[in-house]
């Protein structure tokens, strides 16, 4: 059930959202007006919108990339609770369509994903290996932190909330259990053995203060993806002194550290960070 083949087929485009997009939260396309040597897809986190990645998008654009930051279904809308209605097929449809669009705009294409967006970015790298050449995941939500959801009940809760068999609940961050279960269904659909071709470079970043994601899974999955492909791999833990928790990208969280960290993320993606 968790590894349903239906999640691996072309999921098609996501259904249209029923609510209007909030001002400043819609899809961003930063284009140089022509196909470039490099293009990149940036996927924002759960409960966020493309605005979360404005600083990083501008940094990649300044380096010559064509950049697409699409709005996920149910996100960035005037209804602040619409994100709870997301489904795994709709999320995969949105990510696949966005990758197809940006891949036409660059000779080499890569993906950056934040938190739940990293789940989709990794799925694209696994099932579109001929398209995704570079992958960067920031605080990837492959599994909840053991302090949030003990390992023994993780799969039963994932199934029950994923099938909407239990009434929805929200955690302290405002995350819908049903919505998070959709992302975890996607993780469960990853191949047991990742493709031996495709990605050339993989990087993952985690903050030591993150109590939202499972830190072991955050580094284990990128390693499993990179190894069979012979890709270069960078696993980066941010300095504890920064005081960051799960959100390691939003400008209001980074404060004065934003320019340095955004540059660090670009260099990790390009494998030039020292």
């Amino acid at each position: 059930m968790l590894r349903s083949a239906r999640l691996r087929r072309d999921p098609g485009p996501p259904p249209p959202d029923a609510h209007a997009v909030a001002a400043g939260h819609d899809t961003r396309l930063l284009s140089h007006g022509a196909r470039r040597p490099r293009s990149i897809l940036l996927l924002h986190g759960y409960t966020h919108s493309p605005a979360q990645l404005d600083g990083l998008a501008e940094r990649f654009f300044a380096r010559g990339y064509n950049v697409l930051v699409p709005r996920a279904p149910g996100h960035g809308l005037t209804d602040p609770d619409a994100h709870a209605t997301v489904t795994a097929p709709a999320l995969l449809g949105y990510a696949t369509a966005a990758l197809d669009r940006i891949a036409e705009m660059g000779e080499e294409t890569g993906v950056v994903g934040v938190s739940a967006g990293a789940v989709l970015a990794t799925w694209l790298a696994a099932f579109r290996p001929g398209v995704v050449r570079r992958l960067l995941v920031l605080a990837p939500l492959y599994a909840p932190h053991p302090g949030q959801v003990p390992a023994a009940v993780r799969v039963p809760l994932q199934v029950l909330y994923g099938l909407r068999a239990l009434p929805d609940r929200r955690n302290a961050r405002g995350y819908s259990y049903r919505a998070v279960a959709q992302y975890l269904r996607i993780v469960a659909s990853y191949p047991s053995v990742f493709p031996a071709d495709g990605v050339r470079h993989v990087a993952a970043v985690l903050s030591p203060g993150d109590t939202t994601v499972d830190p072991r899974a955050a580094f284990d999955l990128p390693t499993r993806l990179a190894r069979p492909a012979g890709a270069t791999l960078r696993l980066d833990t941010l300095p504890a002194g920064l005081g960051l928790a799960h959100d390691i990208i939003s400008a209001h969280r980074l404060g004065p550290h934003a320019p340095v960290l955004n540059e660090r993320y670009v260099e990790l993606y390009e494998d030039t960070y020292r």
Side-chain angles (χ1 to χ4, degrees):
M1 182 185 299
L2 293 179
R3 294 187 181 275
S4 170
R6 286 179 295 178
L7 291 183
R8 299 182 194 147
R9 299 180 192 143
D10 180 1
D17 286 310
H19 300 275
V21 179
H25 291 277
D26 210 350
T27 293
R28 275 96 156 118
L29 174 63
L30 285 67
S31 171
H32 290 275
R35 186 176 173 90
R36 301 289 290 183
R38 298 176 293 184
S39 63
I40 192 164
L41 174 65
L42 307 184
L43 301 176
H44 64 79
Y46 173 57
T47 73
H48 289 274
S49 78
Q52 182 188 32
L53 288 160
D54 279 348
L56 188 60
E58 291 166 3
R59 187 75 55 152
F60 274 111
F61 183 70
R63 289 172 101 110
Y65 289 76
N66 283 328
V67 184
L68 176 62
V69 195
R71 182 184 60 80
H75 289 68
L77 302 177
T78 52
D79 177 3
D81 295 319
H83 60 81
T85 65
V86 297
T87 66
L91 289 166
L92 294 180
Y94 131 84
T96 301
L99 179 63
D100 288 342
R101 182 180 180 188
I102 196 62
E104 295 178 352
M105 301 178 68
E107 299 297 330
E108 178 189 84
T109 301
V111 187
V112 176
V114 179
S115 188
V119 169
L120 301 175
T122 305
W123 189 93
L124 292 173
F127 291 104
R128 300 293 299 278
V131 180
V132 178
R133 296 303 190 187
R134 291 178 176 269
L135 174 70
L136 169 65
V137 292
L138 305 175
L141 185 58
Y142 299 129
H145 193 283
Q148 301 283 345
V149 181
V153 299
R154 189 176 293 171
V155 172
L157 289 180
Q158 176 182 323
V159 173
L160 292 171
Y161 282 109
L163 296 177
R164 291 177 165 77
L166 292 176
D168 201 6
R169 295 174 57 193
R170 303 292 180 94
N171 70 4
R173 296 182 64 88
Y175 286 7
S176 154
Y177 282 37
R178 286 181 172 181
V180 172
Q182 301 305 307
Y183 288 99
L184 298 182
R185 286 183 63 205
I186 294 170
V187 175
S189 75
Y190 290 169
S192 56
V193 178
F194 285 99
D197 58 355
V199 290
R200 298 167 181 161
H201 176 65
V202 178
V205 184
L206 193 64
S207 168
D210 193 331
T211 59
T212 297
V213 307
D214 185 329
R216 178 177 296 180
F219 282 170
D220 281 357
L221 262 166
T223 301
R224 284 179 46 212
L225 175 65
R227 185 177 293 133
T232 53
L233 175 68
R234 299 292 298 274
L235 303 175
D236 185 49
T237 300
L238 298 179
L242 294 175
L244 297 175
H246 178 56
D247 189 345
I248 58 174
I249 187 63
S250 298
H252 70 283
R253 296 292 185 192
L254 302 188
H257 304 297
V260 171
L261 285 178
N262 280 323
E263 184 64 21
R264 180 177 182 142
Y265 299 152
V266 172
E267 291 179 355
L268 283 165
Y269 174 87
E270 294 183 340
D271 197 22
T272 59
Y273 180 73
R274 297 291 181 266

